[in-house]
Amino acid sequence: MALFLSPCSACGSYHGPRWRMEPGDLFIPVDSIEEEATLTCDAKGTPPPQYRWSLNGTLINLGLDRRRRLSGGNLIISSLDRYQDVGIYQCMAYNTGGAILSRRASLQFAYLDHFKVHTRSAVSVREGQGVVLLCGTPTSSGDLTYAWVFNEYPYFVQQDNRRFVSQQTGNLYIAKVEPSDVGNYTCAVMNSITKGKVQSSPTSLILRTDVMGEYEPKIEVNFPDNVPAAKGSTVTLECFALGNPVPEITWRRANGVPFPSKVKMKYSNAVLEIPSFQQDDTGGYECVAENKMGKNTATGRLAFYAKPQWIQTMKDTALAIEERLDWECRANGRPKPSYTWLKNGQQLLSEVNCRLLVLKPVYCFPSASPPDFTGNVLRALLKAKAGTTVTLECKPQAYPIASILWKKGNLPIHTNDRITLSPDGTLRLANVSKSDAGSYTCFARNRFGMSSTTGRLLVTDPTRIIQGPVDMEIIVGESIVLPCQVASDPVLDVSFSWAFNGQLIAKGDGHFETAGDLMIRNIQLYHAGKYICVVDTDVESLSAVAVLIPGPPSPPDSVTVEEVTDSTAQLAWSPGRDNGSPITNYLIQTRTPFTVGWQRVNTVPEIIDGNTLTATVVDLNAWVEYEFRVLAKNSVGVGEPSPVSVKTRTEDAVWARSVSASEIEVNWQALSFTPERVLGYEVHFYSFKWKQKSHTTQFKCLSSPPAHLKAITSQLGVAMEMAISAGRLLQPKLYSSL
């Protein structure tokens, strides 16, 4: 127990700090929307106190820490980090009158990681046999509650004398399996602080053909031999047994004293609950599981403990020189409290545990001893990153307290704005550089002797990730490599690890292969998520993050044109992979000699859903060569286009009929996208005189065509091939019997 020894207020116009508010423990959900955490610290004193904070015994350098700042005496931490901010915090308030240390306060993060994704093996048992299904709880912090889903949510296993879910292990225990128990079981875990929930992969329970005979109870759920229980807390003991017939559970106290009325039994006596635990509740407890085949007993002991509470404390006192002072502090608690005295925040004596402090002039007097560094020597080699703060502690065992001198090599070290030496002998080097590297020796001396300890400081260049992973889309079935390459000081040992969605990737996973870079083979949909490359060296840890998301669909395949008219074409295709996100619809594009690039076309149906693999393209032009391609779309985006279809020409829109024995009438439709080339007409009619002279056919144009028209006849009828010379816009072919 730490107390403060300070000058009294009567000794001058100042007085040392006194606590008004000390920090309390914090438990913060890791996914909390709060951006800051505040550890309170407030003291009164004259002059007003200043404040320092330590984390896990190391002073926090607020000048170099951008995430931590003071508001009055309160420590405010922004951009909370689950790994860097967890620990034990302590506040020091100080002024010219002295210094005091606050109670220690812990900052913890509540979290619940996901179960590792893998298929669980089926459990095969005989009817009548007992079985235990393991939950395999993922890493977590904070109180957890467990339940088991039977076959599908929201059907949960109902606990009775035959089935029990342990809130200590999360496992499911079935004392005697019946045919109705066959099915799939999923462990569901909830964090009581974050309210986050995760579920395991299902475990199948199947029955063998043979039947299990009767057997005596076997206790599978038991409480420890010795259970510490805090005063006023609620104590819960579990006990459950397998057996055939189903065992009956009973409880008793080892001393034979009946249970008080406050004690409760739950879940067919599998749980014993003692609310508001008191010292009278300590002692041995027995759980007895019994059926007609026999019985089994488990025993354990509940031990009482209580936090220290002050009975007597010291008061400010004014003394004359050479006057004796006796200060006594007393506290009760279970187990018996120990005591530590501090002066201005520094422990007066190590190895001293007394509740009485006597000043005149020495107190709680131990044996005199020269400085001794046994068990507290400097590290032989200390590596530190350039730009950081290095702390070298010099803490010998000595009485009286030793004076401290530091040397670098053979030269004494002098303090400056970058180098500080604390009263307890701790040397701090801020913003270290290569010039700070070397051999450091701490010399400790008192009137009984001198001793020293030496260590070497090596300052290294910062490690940099020169090529880290980047966000990308994944395609199911393919393999990718996430790079993680670093440049580091050659004297450093560098190690790599990868985490997927907050869980460390195990080397035995068949999909992953790590050696700095991470290779993911045969990617599946569940591999989408957040990947972190963590690089650890002797002096620092750094990381790089990438997110893999499902990609757009792969290209459709085998695009064929199955039926063509003068204005339509019916298409069919095969689907590509959806890459983890179902295909929502297809898009069709076309290209002709007269278009610039690919263009969207009109189709029937107008919107082609992801389950449709055929469509009719409409509003095409006659006697034009078309190429088609198909694109697939999902929730991520539009994928790459399919291979191009074979070139297909639409049918003609030109025809002829015999008007008389010497005339035929030719009819064609002009291209809709070039009306200016056909004098603004959509349909033109032309008549020609026909005369047979040997093998020559002559036509007389009865009206002015838009361009030169050439016709050839054969014995089978009339075959007319027309070409518009201005741009070769129309090349129809017609056959018509006379």
Side-chain angles (χ1 to χ4, degrees):
M1 187 62 62
L3 288 181
F4 163 63
L5 176 66
S6 88
C8 65
S9 57
C11 296
S13 60
Y14 58 85
H15 66 80
R18 295 290 185 273
W19 288 120
R20 287 190 289 209
M21 187 175 296
E22 296 183 67
D25 296 339
L26 293 180
F27 217 138
I28 300 175
V30 74
D31 55 353
S32 173
I33 61 173
E34 297 179 14
E35 296 182 355
E36 296 180 336
T38 301
L39 290 158
T40 57
C41 183
D42 183 39
K44 62 181 179 179
T46 304
Q50 295 178 284
Y51 301 90
R52 292 177 181 169
W53 282 86
S54 64
L55 170 58
N56 297 328
T58 301
L59 183 68
I60 299 174
N61 190 335
L62 296 174
L64 299 177
D65 195 329
R66 297 182 179 179
R67 295 191 305 107
R68 299 185 179 104
R69 69 183 191 277
L70 285 182
S71 175
N74 297 340
L75 178 65
I76 300 177
I77 309 172
S78 59
S79 302
L80 292 169
D81 186 282
R82 165 176 161 184
Y83 302 101
Q84 297 184 39
D85 297 325
V86 67
I88 303 298
Y89 289 79
Q90 194 169 23
C91 176
M92 171 185 281
Y94 63 96
N95 62 12
T96 53
I100 53 176
L101 282 177
S102 72
R103 68 177 294 274
R104 295 177 177 89
S106 68
L107 173 60
Q108 300 180 65
F109 290 88
Y111 62 91
L112 175 60
D113 289 339
H114 289 279
F115 280 93
K116 184 177 180 180
V117 179
H118 66 87
T119 301
R120 297 195 174 194
S121 302
V123 177
S124 176
V125 296
R126 293 183 286 176
E127 182 180 348
Q129 182 180 355
V131 70
V132 180
L133 300 183
L134 304 180
C135 180
T137 308
T139 56
S140 63
S141 176
D143 292 335
L144 304 179
T145 57
Y146 299 89
W148 281 78
V149 178
F150 181 51
N151 286 333
E152 61 182 14
Y153 182 86
Y155 300 104
F156 288 93
V157 173
Q158 300 301 310
Q159 299 186 69
D160 50 27
N161 68 330
R162 197 171 59 83
R163 295 168 294 188
F164 177 67
V165 178
S166 170
Q167 297 304 310
Q168 302 297 324
T169 65
N171 299 338
L172 170 63
Y173 301 83
I174 304 178
K176 172 189 171 186
V177 173
E178 298 178 353
S180 60
D181 296 321
V182 171
N184 292 324
Y185 291 83
T186 303
C187 182
V189 186
M190 184 181 79
N191 190 305
S192 302
I193 298 176
T194 67
K195 305 304 180 185
K197 301 177 182 177
V198 295
Q199 290 188 358
S200 69
S201 302
T203 299
S204 296
L205 182 65
I206 57 179
L207 277 186
R208 292 164 50 180
T209 56
D210 50 340
V211 177
M212 180 76 171
E214 295 180 337
Y215 63 97
E216 66 180 11
K218 179 184 179 184
I219 294 179
E220 287 287 347
V221 181
N222 193 10
F223 49 97
D225 293 338
N226 191 59
V227 180
K231 178 181 178 181
S233 65
T234 296
V235 178
T236 300
L237 302 179
E238 293 183 343
C239 183
F240 191 79
L242 311 183
N244 186 3
V246 175
E248 179 182 352
I249 305 294
T250 57
W251 293 83
R252 64 192 180 200
R253 295 189 65 171
N255 58 11
V257 176
F259 290 120
S261 59
K262 68 177 182 179
V263 175
K264 301 176 183 178
M265 307 288 183
K266 297 182 177 180
Y267 305 116
S268 301
N269 293 351
V271 174
L272 174 72
E273 184 178 279
I274 309 173
S276 186
F277 188 81
Q278 302 298 321
Q279 192 161 2
D280 292 343
D281 298 318
T282 59
Y285 285 75
E286 294 183 353
C287 164
V288 180
E290 187 172 8
N291 63 12
K292 69 179 184 179
M293 301 302 295
K295 67 178 180 180
N296 197 352
T297 302
T299 62
R301 185 174 184 83
L302 295 183
F304 177 83
Y305 74 88
K307 295 181 180 179
Q309 291 185 326
W310 287 116
I311 300 174
Q312 178 180 348
T313 60
M314 58 191 184
K315 297 180 180 179
D316 289 347
T317 304
L319 294 175
I321 296 176
E322 297 297 327
E323 186 178 355
R324 175 189 173 102
L325 171 65
D326 293 347
W327 261 338
E328 184 178 14
C329 59
R330 287 189 298 158
N332 59 15
R334 190 71 175 270
K336 184 178 179 179
S338 60
Y339 301 85
T340 301
W341 289 85
L342 290 86
K343 177 183 177 182
N344 292 330
Q346 300 294 325
Q347 185 173 332
L348 285 176
L349 291 172
S350 59
E351 311 301 333
V352 173
N353 178 18
C354 56
R355 72 186 193 192
L356 178 64
L357 178 67
V358 180
L359 296 178
K360 192 181 177 175
V362 181
Y363 38 84
C364 289
F365 196 37
S367 300
S369 63
D372 182 7
F373 284 100
T374 303
N376 200 19
V377 298
L378 287 175
R379 289 171 56 181
L381 177 62
L382 175 64
K383 299 177 184 178
K385 182 179 71 171
T388 60
T389 296
V390 174
T391 300
L392 301 175
E393 292 186 340
C394 183
K395 293 186 176 180
Q397 297 291 329
Y399 189 82
I401 296 175
S403 61
I404 301 299
L405 173 67
W406 280 93
K407 287 186 177 182
K408 180 185 177 187
N410 295 321
L411 299 177
I413 295 176
H414 300 287
T415 60
N416 54 35
D417 58 350
R418 197 175 60 82
I419 302 176
T420 59
L421 182 61
S422 301
D424 65 353
T426 299
L427 177 66
R428 289 184 176 86
L429 310 174
N431 191 24
V432 295
S433 63
K434 295 279 188 178
S435 63
D436 292 310
S439 177
Y440 287 79
T441 302
C442 172
F443 296 90
R445 180 193 300 270
N446 65 12
R447 65 175 179 265
F448 296 104
M450 185 186 75
S451 184
S452 65
T453 178
T454 301
R456 179 167 166 256
L457 174 64
L458 181 62
V459 180
T460 65
D461 294 324
T463 302
R464 295 179 296 109
I465 296 179
I466 56 177
Q467 185 181 10
V470 296
D471 297 349
M472 66 175 63
E473 297 170 349
I474 62 174
I475 298 178
V476 174
E478 292 191 354
S479 298
I480 63 170
V481 174
L482 297 178
C484 192
Q485 301 294 323
V486 301
S488 63
D489 197 300
V491 302
L492 293 175
D493 293 326
V494 182
S495 63
F496 297 85
S497 59
W498 283 85
F500 170 46
N501 287 339
Q503 187 168 350
L504 194 67
I505 293 176
K507 293 184 178 180
D509 193 310
H511 287 278
F512 297 108
E513 182 178 320
T514 61
D517 297 343
L518 174 67
M519 172 176 280
I520 311 176
R521 302 180 184 276
N522 188 21
I523 286 182
Q524 302 300 309
L525 176 60
Y526 58 79
H527 288 132
K530 182 179 180 181
Y531 288 80
I532 303 177
C533 173
V534 180
V535 182
D536 290 301
T537 72
D538 309 66
V539 299
E540 63 181 317
S541 178
L542 57 161
S543 61
V545 180
V547 177
L548 301 186
I549 60 175
S554 297
D557 198 10
S558 304
V559 179
T560 58
V561 182
E562 296 184 340
E563 187 176 336
V564 178
T565 69
D566 59 347
S567 61
T568 66
Q570 184 172 335
L571 271 61
W573 59 89
S574 300
R577 292 174 299 191
D578 62 13
N579 295 326
S581 179
I583 296 173
T584 55
N585 59 289
Y586 289 98
L587 309 173
I588 298 178
Q589 295 176 339
T590 188
R591 179 174 66 182
T592 74
F594 315 117
T595 60
V596 179
W598 291 89
Q599 297 182 350
R600 181 82 176 270
V601 295
N602 297 325
T603 60
V604 175
E606 183 177 356
I607 298 176
I608 309 169
D609 64 49
N611 297 319
T612 301
L613 300 177
T614 62
T616 300
V617 181
V618 298
D619 300 331
L620 301 178
N621 291 300
W623 202 247
V624 176
E625 274 191 344
Y626 284 91
E627 294 175 291
F628 299 97
R629 68 182 188 183
V630 182
L631 300 88
K633 181 180 180 182
N634 63 11
S635 60
V636 179
V638 178
E640 293 295 318
S642 68
V644 180
S645 69
V646 175
K647 290 183 179 180
T648 304
R649 187 189 298 274
T650 52
E651 293 185 347
D652 60 62
V654 180
W655 62 92
R657 69 185 181 88
S658 58
V659 177
S660 64
S662 61
E663 292 183 351
I664 61 172
E665 183 178 86
V666 181
N667 182 327
W668 75 87
Q669 183 173 356
L671 296 177
S672 60
F673 52 83
T674 56
E676 70 280 3
R677 290 295 183 90
V678 289
L679 307 180
Y681 292 99
E682 285 297 316
V683 179
H684 298 267
F685 296 93
Y686 296 97
S687 297
F688 301 87
K689 294 288 185 180
W690 173 55
K691 294 181 181 179
Q692 182 76 35
K693 288 185 179 179
S694 182
H695 298 290
T696 303
T697 303
Q698 294 181 347
F699 292 88
K700 180 179 180 182
C701 184
L702 302 183
S703 62
S704 299
H708 176 67
L709 186 66
K710 172 181 166 184
I712 302 173
T713 63
S714 69
Q715 293 181 351
L716 299 177
V718 178
M720 306 189 69
E721 182 177 355
M722 299 183 300
I724 298 177
S725 60
R728 297 179 59 84
L729 296 179
L730 187 63
Q731 290 185 326
K733 206 171 193 180
L734 75 89
Y735 297 89
S736 179
S737 298
L738 294 178

